Amino acid sequence: MKNPYFLSEREDALMEENATNAWQLLLLTIMESIRARKDKVHAVLDVGCHWGGLLFRMVEILNASELYGIEPLQTARAEAVKRLGKLRKRGLTFGIFSEREWSSIPVEHIDLVVCHEAIHLIDRDELMRHIALVLRPGGKAYIVTSCHTESKYWMGHLRPKVIKRHRRRIVDHSPFQICQAAMDQGLRVSFRPLFPYGWISYESEREAGLSSARKVMEHHYRDILVFRITKPT
């Protein structure tokens, strides 16, 4: 089956490889909160889970025992089921669902929701309604995005490229619109750059729209945001 989201299986694999550094920083950010509050994470949900790579890492790092994923692409869901199926022998349970199957996720059951670089494909109000429904009281969601209207690199270079190359419908969000959508559902929200420091891996094709090291650093250290969303107890 032709993948309408990416041009080839190689692109799917490359996307996951490129996400590895961001996933590591996101998990470190989550661990900071868990240790500070002595939280426990059992049930996790990844919105836009693709091949399940981030879910797999949450088992290793967070000791999650119930894994849920929302993924619109059938071929990616199949890969995620294949990968996560290897964890059944460890007593873990999982379910990977389409965007039309949110009702398959138990209400007020999820300890942690993540959404990495997928919100530009999702209606923010609908997403926040679902998050508010499935999160347990005191649970948290972390949304990472560089694809927002305050990013010059996204608006001027990547957004037109994604629309032209992949024929995708893009949903525009400003950072404050994301915050307001969460607050409209009674959720608390804060945000910060995902990359406060660290090495930048230069990828010539990906960074083709950035003409200097300064602009690359501005994009990584300023444009890539992580939103922490909490459901009050």
Side-chain angles (χ1 to χ4, degrees), residues 160-175:
K161 183 178 178 181
V162 168
I163 292 173
K164 181 179 179 180
R165 192 178 187 189
H166 303 303
R167 300 184 297 278
R168 296 305 323 278
R169 173 181 174 267
I170 299 299
V171 184
D172 289 325
H173 311 285
S174 74

Side-chain angles (χ1 to χ4, degrees), residues 38-97:
K38 298 182 180 179
D39 290 336
K40 291 185 178 180
V41 173
H42 300 293
V44 298
L45 165 65
D46 185 359
V47 182
C49 67
H50 195 236
W51 288 359
L54 182 52
L55 284 170
F56 202 93
R57 285 163 173 80
M58 286 195 284
V59 172
E60 301 299 326
I61 296 175
L62 304 180
N63 294 316
S65 57
E66 289 184 52
L67 313 176
Y68 297 90
I70 295 289
E71 172 54 53
L73 184 62
Q74 189 276 330
T75 52
R77 290 199 302 273
E79 287 294 330
V81 169
K82 181 179 178 181
R83 172 185 278 182
L84 297 173
K86 299 174 184 178
L87 299 173
R88 281 200 178 103
K89 61 185 179 182
R90 294 167 55 176
L92 278 71
T93 60
F94 71 90
I96 306 297
F97 306 106

Side-chain angles (χ1 to χ4, degrees), residues 9-23:
E9 185 174 338
R10 177 181 174 276
E11 268 198 319
D12 273 356
L14 182 61
M15 186 190 73
E16 182 161 312
E17 180 182 341
N18 289 340
T20 299
N21 287 341
W23 286 351

Side-chain angles (χ1 to χ4, degrees), residues 126-196:
E126 182 179 355
L127 175 62
M128 296 305 174
R129 283 196 297 272
H130 287 309
I131 288 175
L133 188 64
V134 302
L135 267 184
R136 66 163 174 79
K140 290 180 173 56
Y142 291 82
I143 297 175
V144 175
T145 183
S146 59
C147 306
H148 54 80
T149 58
E150 292 186 17
S151 168
K152 293 181 180 179
Y153 181 49
W154 167 249
M155 296 299 291
H157 177 69
L158 279 184
R159 184 182 184 278
K161 183 178 178 181
V162 168
I163 292 173
K164 181 179 179 180
R165 192 178 187 189
H166 303 303
R167 300 184 297 278
R168 296 305 323 278
R169 173 181 174 267
I170 299 299
V171 184
D172 289 325
H173 311 285
S174 74
F176 276 11
Q177 285 175 328
I178 294 172
C179 293
Q180 189 60 53
M183 292 178 64
D184 288 345
Q185 298 301 317
L187 303 169
R188 298 197 301 267
V189 59
S190 54
F191 63 92
R192 74 180 196 190
L194 178 64
F195 288 85

